[in-house]
Amino acid sequence: MAPLEQLLLVVVASFLAGLAGSYLGVGGGVFLVPFLALGIRVDLPVAVATSLIGVIATSSGAASVYVRDRLVNLRLGMFLEIATTLGAIVGASLAVLVDPRYLFLLFAVVVLYTAVYMALTRENAKDRAYRPGRESPLAERFGLSSIYFDHEDQGVYRYRVGRPGAGFAASGVAGALSGLLGIGGGFVQVPAMNVIMGVPMKPAVATSNFVIGVTAAASAFIYYARGLVNPSLAAMVIVGVFAGTHVGTRLLLRGRAQRIRFVFAVLLAAIAALMGLRAFDVAVVP
Amino acid sequence: MIGPRTALVAVQRRLAALRRAALAEVEDTNRLVYHVLRGGIVVSVAFVVFAFLLSVAGAGPLPEAPVNVRSLDDELARLTPAAFLSLGVLVLVFTPMVRVVSSLLSFAEERERAYVLVTGLVFANLLVGLVLGLA
């Protein structure tokens, strides 16, 4: 394929990755790595490095919009970033020690469970509303609970962040996964907030977008220093992703939480299937 | 003598002022984070587009490998597309780090000890990752 056509193809694919990444809070790494490695046959480390650049671009492009529209829970995001960055370091260091097959199988099960849970649980105005009772001491100490405005029903919702310890641990796992596989870890981050901590879907997606940029940045620098970033490819990804986030953020702001959850669940089911296959040595995706 | 009603009004005014101040602080952090993130991606895209224009104008081919950080200033002075592409990528990669540092300063200014600690830890983790990567 002629280089110019190839670069244009990368722009289009990055546009879609940026759109989906900002709409679902996953950064788009899960779409970009397979596209680059299988679609246009870039070496895997280069694909991972380029995808990390795409994750940061999605995060900066989308999170800035979500921050402006007060959808990001900054405190919660920063609190969880401790866990994701720590996990990323540990994950990168452990990558050589653990047989990845068991990891893939374990994750396939967990992710599939989350997919089913998210597809089946409803989220309406009542579910988003503040629940009575005592707040957990940790959440209170760090002031994690917040408010947001939902365009779906023009409602202002005050929500409480529950189980901060468990959410923190899950974010550590998200970070470790990011260090192991070179993705943003958003597909763990969003359920960690939405399912474990009880954060409504839209702020969960927005806050995940905010967090994954930091998670991806540390490893991206490493890849850059090793000369694995192909600047031309990365540039196409940046431009495409940035354009994509404009559409993705708009879709999320106006979208229905229920639909976002469902699309997210479908994505999770697909990831679970691929991971399960990987556990049995069938590599559909590198 | 101050009557009870006057005292009550004074307390209410004080509380309202405090609440406004708290909201303004949240607003400040929000705005700062917005500008850092937005600025990072926009500057990055601008450098990338400039590099393309340079390349189209015949200043050189689009590169396969990144320009080494040490020779970046030299290449930038010669206006090569490779240098500006690499600069755009680097600006983007450092954006989250700048965001963490600026929110750390913002929390320090507001004397929010818990969040100075939180962002400080995140920054320390990023530095550890950086050092581990360079080693």
Side-chain angles (χ1 to χ4, degrees), chain A residues 6-217:
Chain A
Q6 186 177 331
L7 289 179
L8 282 178
L9 192 64
V10 175
V11 174
V12 174
S14 306
F15 175 84
L16 295 173
L19 195 164
S22 53
Y23 179 69
L24 297 174
V26 296
V30 281
F31 310 113
L32 275 177
V33 175
F35 165 75
L36 291 169
L38 299 178
I40 62 171
R41 307 214 169 273
V42 175
D43 287 342
L44 187 59
V46 177
V48 169
T50 312
S51 149
L52 280 172
I53 304 289
V55 171
I56 302 175
T58 311
S59 175
S60 298
S64 59
V65 173
Y66 293 144
V67 165
R68 186 194 61 200
D69 291 349
R70 319 274 181 323
L71 216 50
V72 175
N73 186 334
L74 287 179
R75 286 164 182 269
L76 177 62
M78 290 169 187
F79 175 73
L80 296 179
E81 275 166 9
I82 303 176
T84 61
T85 49
L86 199 65
I89 295 168
V90 174
S93 321
L94 281 185
V96 281
L97 299 178
V98 189
D99 185 349
R101 266 209 276 175
Y102 298 110
L103 280 179
F104 279 122
L105 194 59
L106 180 67
F107 268 105
V109 175
V110 174
V111 170
L112 192 61
Y113 172 79
T114 316
V116 173
Y117 182 91
M118 290 186 81
L120 295 183
T121 330
R122 298 178 48 78
E123 181 185 306
N124 52 35
K126 210 173 135 203
D127 302 314
R128 284 197 281 268
Y130 197 75
R131 279 173 289 281
R134 275 196 67 80
E135 201 169 12
S136 96
L138 197 61
E140 202 178 346
R141 176 78 189 81
F142 285 97
L144 296 180
S145 298
S146 185
I147 55 174
Y148 83 105
F149 173 74
D150 202 319
H151 282 270
E152 182 184 334
D153 51 10
Q154 304 289 310
V156 175
Y157 292 98
R158 181 168 166 226
Y159 60 91
R160 165 175 292 183
V161 174
R163 287 183 278 188
F168 192 84
S171 302
V173 173
L177 213 62
S178 161
L180 281 166
L181 307 176
I183 50 176
F187 73 95
V188 180
Q189 194 73 62
V190 173
M193 281 187 266
N194 186 235
V195 177
I196 299 178
M197 308 177 89
V199 176
M201 192 61 186
K202 285 186 187 181
V205 166
T207 308
S208 170
N209 260 313
F210 176 73
V211 169
I212 54 177
V214 170
T215 317

Side-chain angles (χ1 to χ4, degrees), chain B residues 44-119:
Chain B
S44 168
V45 168
F47 277 133
V48 163
V49 170
F50 182 63
F52 277 118
L53 294 179
L54 277 180
S55 181
V56 170
L62 293 174
E64 286 282 317
V67 172
N68 192 301
V69 184
R70 284 179 198 83
S71 57
L72 191 62
D73 52 345
D74 192 44
E75 294 254 349
L76 284 175
R78 290 195 288 126
L79 289 178
T80 61
F84 280 93
L85 274 187
S86 302
L87 188 63
V89 173
L90 279 177
V91 167
L92 187 76
V93 170
F94 275 104
T95 301
M97 211 167 193
V98 174
R99 197 267 290 160
V100 170
V101 173
S102 59
S103 21
L104 175 66
L105 295 177
S106 163
F107 283 126
E109 197 183 8
E110 288 159 23
R111 297 180 196 286
E112 280 209 54
R113 284 235 215 83
Y115 275 88
V116 171
L117 183 71
V118 165
T119 43

Side-chain angles (χ1 to χ4, degrees), chain B residues 6 9 12-13 21 26-27 34 39-40 47 51 59 73 84 96 107 118:
Chain B
T6 325
V9 168
Q12 278 172 342
R13 279 208 189 122
V26 170
E27 207 50 25
Y34 168 77
F47 277 133
D73 52 345
F84 280 93
F107 283 126
V118 165

